């Protein structure tokens, strides 16, 4: 199954439940941008690639950015819209790889970017995306990438871990490692009329490493620093 279908037919239905309290999580994203000196100076524009239900878009907009939120999942974008209230956020429902097709006026003012981890099927797409971003980022602009390190296999409990256990729903995530992708199996159990109903869906995720990502940034002349404790 593709990542798009995985979100459309499975994960998007319980994504917001899985991440927990929106207000609390959003505040911690906002604090991250403040701590890392990402104010809306130079250009006020920020593009959130893979915006989901809006944790980063809402944070950037609250800090004064005009935000364009890209995501290919309509359900999560609808939730984002209901989380934005009067904030300056425009949503685009499309694959993030098409971001550079947005208007030239917007392209020349780019300031901040956010890229989530599961959006990239192939390293070559990541290369292309970073290249396009580096061409368009204004001087002093920042690129923020969040990803889960998947190069090292999680051996403990054979990569099987409960992600959320809040009755009457249990979400278990099973990571299956192949040389290139890692298959993520999201296994949901829901208690319905006294019976546990199981639904499973899986999608391939790039096995990114800190070294691999920093090499791509270096090739594109983007100065960087890694903050290993921050995972979106
Ligand atoms: C792990 S979620 C992160 C959402 C949000 N940034 C957060 O931190 O909660 C990844 C998001 O990226 C979106 N996504 C994944 N691949 C994408 C792609 N190729 N194009 C557009 N959106 C994509 C998914 O629909 C999902 O909302």
């Amino acid at each position: 199954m593709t990542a798009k279908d995985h979100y459309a037919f499975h994960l998007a239905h319980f994504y917001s439940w899985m991440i927990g309290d929106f207000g609390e999580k959003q505040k911690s994203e906002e604090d991250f941008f403040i701590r890392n000196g990402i104010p809306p100076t130079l250009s006020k524009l920020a593009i959130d690639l893979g915006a989901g239900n809006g944790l980063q878009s809402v944070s950037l907009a609250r800090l004064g950015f005009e935000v364009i939120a890209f995501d290919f999942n309509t359900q999560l974008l609808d939730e984002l819209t209901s989380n934005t209230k009067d904030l300056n956020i425009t949503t685009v429902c499309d694959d993030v790889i098409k971001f550079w097709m947005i208007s030239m006026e917007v392209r020349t003012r780019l300031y901040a970017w956010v890229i989530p981890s599961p959006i990239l099927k192939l390293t070559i797409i990541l290369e292309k995306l970073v290249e396009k971003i580096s061409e368009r980022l204004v001087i002093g602009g920042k690129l923020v990438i969040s990803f889960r390190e998947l190069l090292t296999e999680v051996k403990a409990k054979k990569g099987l871990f409960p992600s959320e256990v809040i009755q009457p729903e249990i979400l278990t995530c099973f990571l299956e490692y192949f040389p290139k992708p890692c298959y993520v199996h999201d296994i949901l159990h829901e208690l319905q009329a006294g019976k546990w109903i199981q639904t499973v869906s899986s999608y391939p995720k790039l096995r990114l490493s800190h070294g691999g990502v920093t090499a791509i940034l270096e090739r594109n002349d983007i100065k960087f620093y890694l903050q290993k404790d921050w995972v979106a």
Side-chain angles (χ1 to χ4, degrees), residues 3 7 15 19 29 48-53 55-56 70-73 76 94-97 116-120 232:
Y7 273 90
Y15 187 82
I19 65 164
E29 299 290 331
D48 184 356
L49 299 176
N53 66 353
L55 290 179
Q56 293 83 18
F70 258 83
D71 205 289
F72 57 21
N73 187 273
L76 289 172
D94 211 336
D95 196 295
V96 297
I97 202 69
S117 54
I119 59 174
L120 308 151

